[in-house]
Amino acid sequence: VQKIAVEIGWENNKQVLAVKINDPDTNLADLLDAWQPFCDNKTINKLYAAERHKECRGCEINCCNTAYLIPDIIAFKKICQNFDLDYHEGTRRFFAEDKIDLGVMRLKGNPCCFLKDGLCQIYTNRSLLCRFYLCTDIAADTEQLLYSLAWTGSAATQIFASEQKLLPGEPRKGSGSFDRLFLDLQQQYQRDTRVQLFMEARDYNEIPLKPFLGDQIIAHSVM
Ligand code: SF4
Ligand code: SF4
């Protein structure tokens, strides 16, 4: 039996994707492996896909055109390493200057700076927010799990950026509602002790899932 499975289930009369934890002694890499096939899945309902049932590859709406992304720390480091850039160079090249001024590590977007001819140029190193996002219904507890992981990872990037002096100083509130929302969320997660797991890990397989799972999730499934 796999440690983690992703199943198509039902919640509030809607078809949903739900993570099922069979063995709580598992890690984030296992979850990513279980989730990835649904990007290519043509049977689930995808709100923005052509005819609502297509793989993400080749999607014309493509969420990458509008994504507001703060990569998790593992992805941030991998992106810099893969382009052979130090963290300062990587920040200058791939992150939005106006957001850096506000203290937010947002990738250059609209469309995402890594989107070329409709394809992601860093697909295997894309961030958790990219990996987990699907325009389909997701079970509430699963959504909570995915976003707590992605946001904890992004908060770790923010802390790392401060430590490495990639940001100008104290973050100040931007004028846009997204900036405020993201700064508030970042600050909320920065106080979360699980951020240390991301700070210390070299890759996703070094991040245990157990601290992110509730009792109910461990006992049965995330539905
Ligand atoms: S998740 Fe993004 S790429 Fe995939 S179908 Fe939806 S909008 Fe398109
Ligand atoms: S990093 Fe890749 S998957 Fe993520 S928004 Fe950019 S192009 Fe899309």
Side-chain angles (χ1 to χ4, degrees):
V1 180
Q2 289 175 310
K3 288 183 173 182
I4 298 182
V6 178
E7 298 179 345
I8 299 171
W10 292 90
E11 188 175 88
N12 300 328
N13 295 323
K14 277 192 304 196
Q15 194 186 63
V16 292
L17 280 187
V19 168
K20 186 179 176 199
I21 308 289
N22 296 317
D23 179 351
D25 185 19
T26 185
N27 62 57
L28 180 47
D30 296 328
L31 175 58
L32 291 170
D33 287 346
W35 192 257
Q36 175 62 28
F38 288 90
C39 297
D40 304 319
N41 187 298
K42 292 193 255 191
T43 64
I44 58 170
N45 183 36
K46 289 184 183 167
L47 186 61
Y48 302 121
E51 297 147 30
R52 296 211 165 197
H53 293 284
K54 285 271 191 209
E55 57 274 83
C56 288
R57 173 180 281 264
C59 169
E60 289 195 5
I61 298 286
N62 204 334
C63 41
C64 308
N65 281 314
T66 53
Y68 188 125
L69 277 181
I70 298 170
D72 59 277
I73 189 168
I74 306 280
F76 171 68
K77 289 178 176 174
K78 284 188 179 189
I79 290 167
C80 291
Q81 282 155 12
N82 279 10
F83 285 91
D84 207 15
L85 299 171
D86 66 32
Y87 299 132
H88 287 270
E89 292 167 333
T91 301
R92 273 198 299 277
R93 182 150 157 201
F94 299 125
F95 288 79
E97 205 177 320
D98 57 329
K99 302 302 178 194
I100 293 289
D101 287 345
L102 296 173
V104 180
M105 292 287 286
R106 185 202 172 175
L107 277 185
K108 290 178 181 172
N110 303 319
C112 174
C113 59
F114 293 117
L115 189 66
K116 297 278 179 303
D117 301 323
L119 295 175
C120 175
Q121 302 301 298
I122 57 158
Y123 195 69
T124 54
N125 290 323
R126 71 201 192 286
S127 74
L128 291 178
L129 282 165
C130 305
R131 289 168 189 258
F132 286 142
Y133 180 77
L134 283 175
C135 57
T136 193
D137 289 312
I138 294 174
D141 284 357
T142 293
E143 197 162 48
Q144 174 64 30
L145 171 65
L146 303 186
Y147 281 95
S148 69
L149 284 160
W151 275 108
T152 307
S154 298
T157 303
Q158 198 77 10
I159 294 170
F160 184 72
S162 296
E163 287 176 357
Q164 299 283 321
K165 304 204 180 336
L166 308 178
L167 293 167
E170 280 300 302
R172 60 186 172 84
K173 304 276 183 189
S175 52
S177 56
F178 256 131
D179 300 331
R180 282 198 297 276
L181 172 72
F182 278 68
L183 270 175
D184 288 347
L185 274 170
Q186 295 275 344
Q187 284 165 0
Q188 178 190 329
Y189 276 99
Q190 281 178 31
R191 292 190 292 274
D192 192 319
T193 53
R194 295 171 298 181
V195 165
Q196 273 311 314
L197 296 170
F198 275 87
M199 300 293 289
E200 290 162 11
R202 283 164 299 179
D203 212 334
Y204 298 120
N205 62 354
E206 295 183 1
I207 299 175
L209 277 195
K210 207 184 257 180
F212 295 88
L213 304 173
D215 293 344
Q216 166 203 355
I217 291 169
I218 292 176
H220 292 293
S221 75
V222 180
M223 283 186 70

